[in-house]
RNA sequence: GCCCCGGUAGCUCAAUUGGAUAGAGCAACGGUCUUCUAAACCGUAGGUCACAGAUUCGAAUUCUGUCCGGGGUACCA
């Protein structure tokens, strides 16, 4: 509809003003009005042309309108307003026809195939197996999965990837922490190492360790079994948590692979050849200052161990070697200083980094009794994602995490979540869906077997047309989501759709003595139901038939 | 110090990326179920869009500076 009008305007000015405009691009827009008085669509074309043509916008608008009047069958009326906006009023029949389109396309309504044959890798969560997933990870998990679903809706083939490291200092500490808890169960008091893991979950793991091995590993603190046992247990729980949220990764990539397949050495050698590194104080440094960084960074410590940066770089060369058309990395705000180094290194080695898109999301702050709490996995001070799902349920958790812009901090009030699950906004959407399902069921009881022959021309009430207008926005919203990769827009949209449905429901009855009208309204609500169900499925949220 | 986010109603956040009278949900107050689900709807109240400049027909949105909050700035990941 918008493109339709836009093309019409473009043609008109090309015809009328081509001599003056010449090859200049006129950047005008056609947008949905946010006020009924301004019609359905409005264009600023006359305002944009005013400075080029050196005429008053109103005069230009009048000339344009004269030209296009009656040239488009969906336009009911055109008005010119104050500074020079051209407002279009669209015919009801245009909106009514949407019902038929939704009903016939159903699950495929406005679904696109833009990504057909294209592969995208989305990397997210990527938490090392040192403890259960926290609320903080939850945001990234839901964000990553929902973005994946948006891409899939557009026909892309998405691979969800999880990158992890089960070696190194953190893991050693994890193993030692488990050992301490293990010995504790065997009656010996030891101290958790400095920077070790103090969370309760280690005690649980220690219990199953005892169950399995008894006293076999008493006093064998250095045995690798402690690390392996801990990571294995933790990974199982991480995967379970994600599964509860309907999130399943396709690939778990172990950092270890990069050492085994020689990628790490390869990267170091290549960067050396390119003259991007140097040795100093026994370490190997990357000249990041040449890429605008403040300081040079260490790639290999004097101990010979790489810093986290090196495997990150190697991992990305690995990603780029595969045939993905796009690579999306989802990181927390704490990564903002490190990923530019990775990109710089890839550029040094002549990789095309334009395929890589990095999305940073801000942190989740846990609020409890009106106090902000800093979460730390190490100190065991956190609320796990599992606990949150227990309290609120998967649907609410998913909705909650994509409800807001990823750029804004998220304050999570745990008391509120516990107390007010009934008033959660997600129920508002699901309730609308369930209500519709119920009305359709009711209509069958009232003897309306089918409503395929309902006459959409009978949908004339303001509340009915309003709903159809919102449905007509769906395509644009999905486009916005695709471009910005920001699922929040879809959440806002659904809320808006639910609002107009509830308003309609309150004011008008669907099933009445008037069979014809009932059938047409059943068609209407069926089409709303389809939109709900499609959108909720993109958000990974259930669309219940009753509540 | 430097880098990245944010600052909008009492609270949590929107504003389709520069459009017209800045909107929702909680919280407050008042109203609506003999009817297809009241987990809903209607109404009232609530705003110096942090502050100051700049850009233009037009700014919450872009630019500059200042203030406040969060994150980063490791030979931790």
């Amino acid at each position: 509809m918008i493109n339709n009008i836009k093309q019409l305007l473009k043609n008109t000015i090309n015809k009328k003003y081509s001599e003056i405009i010449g090859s200049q691009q006129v950047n005008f827009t056609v947008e949905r009005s946010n006020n009924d008085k301004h019609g359905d669509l409005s264009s600023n074309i006359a305002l944009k042309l005013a400075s080029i043509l050196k005429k008053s916008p109103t005069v230009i608008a009048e000339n344009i309108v004269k030209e296009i009047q009656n040239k488009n069958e969906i336009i009911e009326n055109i008005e010119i307003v104050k500074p020079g906006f051209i407002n279009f009023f669209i015919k009801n029949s245009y909106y009514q026809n949407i019902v038929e389109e939704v009903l016939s396309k159903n699950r495929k309504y406005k679904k696109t195939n833009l990504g057909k044959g294209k592969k995208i890798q989305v990397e997210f969560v990527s938490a090392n197996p040192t403890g259960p997933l926290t609320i903080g990870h939850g945001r990234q998990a839901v964000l990553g999965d929902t973005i994946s679903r948006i891409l899939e809706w557009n026909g892309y083939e998405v691979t969800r990837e999880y990158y992890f490291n089960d070696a190194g200092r953190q893991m050693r500490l994890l193993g030692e922490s488990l050992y301490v808890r293990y010995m504790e169960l065997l009656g010996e008091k030891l101290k958790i190492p400095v920077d070790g893991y103090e969370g309760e979950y280690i005690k649980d793991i220690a219990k199953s360790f005892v169950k399995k091995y008894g006293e076999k590993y008493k006093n064998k603190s250095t045995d690798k079994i402690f690390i392996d046992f801990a990571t294995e247990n933790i990974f199982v729980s991480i995967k379970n948590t994600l599964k509860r949220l309907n999130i399943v990764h396709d690939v778990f990539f172990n950092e270890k692979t990069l050492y085994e397949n020689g990628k790490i050495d390869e990267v170091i050698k290549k960067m050396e050849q390119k003259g991007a590194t140097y040795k100093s104080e026994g370490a190997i440094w990357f000249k990041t200052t040449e890429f605008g960084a403040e300081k040079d960074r260490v790639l290999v410590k004097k101990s010979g161990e790489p810093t986290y940066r090196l495997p990150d770089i190697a991992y990305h060369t690995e990603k780029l070697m595969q045939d993905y058309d796009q690579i999306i990395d989802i990181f927390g705000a704490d990564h903002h200083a490190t990923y530019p180094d990775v990109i710089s290194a890839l550029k040094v080695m002549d990789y095309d980094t334009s395929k890589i898109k990095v999305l940073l999301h801000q942190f989740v702050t846990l609020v409890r009794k009106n106090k902000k709490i800093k979460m730390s996995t190490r100190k065991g001070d956190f609320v796990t994602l599992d606990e949150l799902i227990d309290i609120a349920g998967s649907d609410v958790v998913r909705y909650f995490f994509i409800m807001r812009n990823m750029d804004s901090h998220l304050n999570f009030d745990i008391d509120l979540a516990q107390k007010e699950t009934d008033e959660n906004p997600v129920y508002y959407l699901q309730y609308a869906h369930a209500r519709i399902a119920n009305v359709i069921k009711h209509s069958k009881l009232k003897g309306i077997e089918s409503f395929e022959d309902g006459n959409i021309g009978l949908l004339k009430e303001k509340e009915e047309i309003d709903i159809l207008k919102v449905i007509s926005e769906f395509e644009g919203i999905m486009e916005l989501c695709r471009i910005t990769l920001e699922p929040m827009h879809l959440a806002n949209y659904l809320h808006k759709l639910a609002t107009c449905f509830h308003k309609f429901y309150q004011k008008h009855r669907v099933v009445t003595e008037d069979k014809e009208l009932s059938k047409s309204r059943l068609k209407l609500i069926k089409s709303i139901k389809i939109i709900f169900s499609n959108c909720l499925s993109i958000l990974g949220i259930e669309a219940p038939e009753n509540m």
Side-chain angles (χ1 to χ4, degrees):
Chain A
M1 167 171 69
I2 288 177
N3 290 336
N4 191 335
I5 302 288
K6 198 161 183 181
Q7 195 57 47
L8 182 68
L9 288 172
K10 210 171 198 172
N11 293 343
T12 310
I13 61 167
N14 280 341
K15 193 166 135 202
K16 255 186 109 64
Y17 298 112
S18 61
E19 287 158 34
I20 314 169
I21 303 170
S23 57
Q24 280 187 74
Q25 279 288 325
V26 183
N27 255 335
F28 71 94
T29 58
V30 175
E31 287 177 324
R32 273 164 213 288
S33 316
N34 49 15
N35 186 327
D36 287 348
K37 283 182 197 156
H38 302 141
D40 297 315
L41 297 176
S42 82
S43 179
N44 60 1
I45 187 165
L47 292 160
K48 291 287 174 192
L49 278 173
S51 60
I52 300 172
L53 300 178
K54 303 204 168 61
K55 279 188 195 167
S56 115
T58 326
V59 174
I60 298 169
E62 276 164 8
N63 285 331
I64 292 173
V65 170
K66 225 179 277 169
E67 201 67 29
I68 57 178
Q69 204 100 47
N70 305 323
K71 283 225 176 127
N72 191 305
E73 57 199 12
I74 70 168
I75 299 173
E76 170 87 44
N77 189 23
I78 306 177
E79 279 178 8
I80 298 163
V81 191
K82 281 188 282 176
F85 288 105
I86 302 175
N87 295 335
F88 299 88
F89 293 76
I90 305 298
K91 285 184 183 160
N92 278 357
S93 61
Y94 171 83
Y95 291 114
Q96 290 159 351
N97 285 328
I98 292 173
V99 173
E100 298 292 8
E101 198 189 343
V102 175
L103 292 178
S104 66
K105 298 267 174 63
N106 203 324
R107 295 214 153 269
K108 290 188 172 157
Y109 175 71
K110 295 298 180 191
K111 187 166 155 50
T112 84
N113 248 326
L114 286 165
K116 197 180 179 185
K118 288 186 183 157
K119 294 182 176 177
I120 298 191
Q121 182 205 62
V122 181
E123 184 209 326
F124 61 106
V125 184
S126 294
N128 283 343
T130 58
L133 296 179
T134 65
I135 288 191
H137 297 120
R139 185 174 202 186
Q140 184 168 139
V142 174
L143 204 49
D145 186 61
T146 310
I147 287 170
S148 300
R149 286 167 192 253
I150 288 170
L151 293 168
E152 283 165 344
W153 174 263
N154 286 290
Y156 290 94
E157 191 184 312
V158 178
T159 303
R160 292 164 174 80
E161 187 149 325
Y162 188 123
Y163 173 74
F164 71 100
N165 174 16
D166 60 2
R169 195 178 98 95
Q170 299 302 325
M171 291 301 136
R172 265 197 318 272
L173 285 164
L174 180 70
E176 285 167 28
S177 306
L178 174 58
Y179 172 73
V180 170
R181 296 301 189 201
Y182 170 61
M183 292 300 281
E184 215 169 81
L185 289 175
L186 300 183
E188 294 215 22
K189 269 247 176 260
L190 298 174
K191 263 203 166 162
I192 294 279
V194 180
D195 288 341
Y197 293 86
E198 297 173 28
E200 287 294 313
Y201 62 96
I202 302 281
K203 291 183 186 171
D204 294 335
I205 297 172
K207 274 179 205 158
S208 33
F209 191 91
V210 172
K211 210 177 263 174
K212 189 162 179 190
Y213 296 111
E215 301 199 356
K216 192 176 168 191
Y217 290 95
K218 197 171 179 182
N219 296 322
K220 293 185 178 166
S221 66
T222 53
D223 202 299
K224 208 175 158 293
I225 193 152
F226 289 104
I227 298 179
D228 290 346
F229 193 85
T231 51
E232 204 178 294
N233 266 269
I234 290 169
F235 240 128
V236 168
S237 91
I238 286 177
K239 285 182 190 172
N240 274 336
T241 306
L242 291 172
K243 207 168 179 187
R244 289 181 76 191
L245 289 173
N246 257 323
I247 300 171
V248 179
H249 284 84
D250 304 298
V251 178
F252 284 81
F253 189 98
N254 191 337
E255 185 189 297
K256 199 162 63 184
T257 318
L258 300 167
Y259 293 89
E260 289 166 358
N261 68 11
K263 280 277 169 195
I264 299 277
D265 292 335
E266 212 173 281
V267 165
I268 276 289
K269 243 176 242 165
K270 215 164 174 181
M271 289 182 68
E272 214 165 64
Q273 275 169 22
K274 295 281 180 185
T277 61
Y278 61 90
K279 282 189 183 171
S280 169
E281 302 164 52
I284 299 176
W285 297 70
F286 175 24
K287 298 177 185 169
T288 35
T289 41
E290 289 184 5
F291 295 90
E294 212 183 337
K295 285 184 242 169
D296 288 339
R297 306 291 179 194
V298 172
L299 287 180
V300 182
K301 305 177 206 172
K302 66 181 167 205
S303 64
E305 260 182 306
T307 63
Y308 62 90
R309 239 171 278 264
L310 181 53
D312 272 4
I313 295 165
Y315 176 42
H316 278 80
T317 65
E318 183 81 24
K319 289 188 182 200
L320 288 167
M321 292 300 287
Q322 298 175 49
D323 60 345
Y324 291 117
D325 295 281
Q326 195 172 18
I327 290 160
I328 297 175
D329 290 334
I330 302 180
F331 297 137
D334 54 340
H335 273 69
H336 108 265
T338 80
Y339 85 84
D341 297 345
V342 173
I343 302 285
S344 303
L346 293 169
K347 280 185 179 155
V348 164
M349 294 183 288
D350 302 320
Y351 283 98
D352 175 14
T353 56
S354 63
K355 280 184 189 176
I356 302 174
K357 192 173 175 86
V358 176
L359 300 178
L360 292 179
H361 69 268
Q362 297 301 310
F363 280 163
V364 178
T365 314
L366 183 62
V367 181
R368 186 182 264 155
K369 292 182 181 119
N370 288 326
K371 268 188 176 169
K372 287 186 180 179
I373 297 171
K374 285 217 169 175
M375 284 189 279
S376 154
T377 303
R378 244 184 31 228
K379 290 189 179 153
D381 187 11
F382 54 81
V383 172
T384 66
L385 194 48
D386 261 321
E387 288 168 321
L388 182 64
I389 301 168
D390 290 342
I391 294 167
S394 164
D395 287 342
V396 172
V397 169
R398 285 197 70 122
Y399 189 75
F400 191 92
F401 280 129
I402 52 93
M403 239 169 86
R404 8 203 102 147
N405 197 313
M406 64 178 115
D407 278 340
S408 59
H409 296 256
L410 197 116
N411 284 323
F412 194 98
D413 189 327
I414 194 75
D415 301 319
L416 208 77
Q418 254 159 339
K419 201 166 52 192
E420 297 191 330
T421 46
D422 281 5
E423 289 165 27
N424 200 291
V426 75
Y427 295 130
Y428 185 74
L429 314 181
Q430 293 183 318
Y431 185 54
H433 184 268
R435 261 186 158 175
I436 293 171
N438 194 64
V439 174
I440 293 173
K441 217 190 299 165
H442 181 260
S443 73
K444 295 214 167 105
L445 294 175
K446 288 282 174 183
I448 300 177
E449 288 301 328
S450 85
F451 45 84
E452 275 164 39
D453 57 338
N455 175 10
I456 51 173
L458 299 177
L459 301 170
K460 288 174 182 162
E461 296 290 346
K462 182 181 182 303
E463 288 77 14
E464 292 165 338
I465 299 297
D466 281 348
I467 290 170
L468 292 169
K469 285 181 181 175
V470 174
I471 291 179
S472 79
E473 288 177 40
F474 172 69
E475 188 180 14
I477 292 295
M478 283 314 295
E479 191 185 2
L480 187 68
C481 288
R482 193 192 78 233
I483 292 167
T484 60
L485 296 178
E486 178 56 83
M488 171 205 63
H489 294 121
L490 190 54
N492 288 346
Y493 173 73
L494 275 182
H495 193 273
K496 187 172 175 184
L497 184 62
T499 300
C500 14
F501 167 71
H502 286 309
K503 278 184 185 175
F504 161 77
Y505 182 91
Q506 204 71 27
K507 196 158 175 188
H508 306 284
R509 273 187 75 85
V510 176
V511 183
T512 60
E513 294 306 310
D514 185 343
K515 277 253 157 73
E516 288 313 303
L517 185 62
S518 299
K519 282 183 181 178
S520 67
R521 286 187 173 162
L522 282 163
K523 270 188 155 178
L524 172 69
I525 63 167
K526 180 78 197 287
S527 64
I528 305 169
K529 186 168 182 274
I530 288 169
I531 302 290
F532 266 119
S533 138
N534 290 354
C535 292
L536 288 171
S537 123
I538 293 169
L539 294 181
I541 294 171
E542 209 180 313
E545 293 291 311
N546 47 58
M547 282 175 77

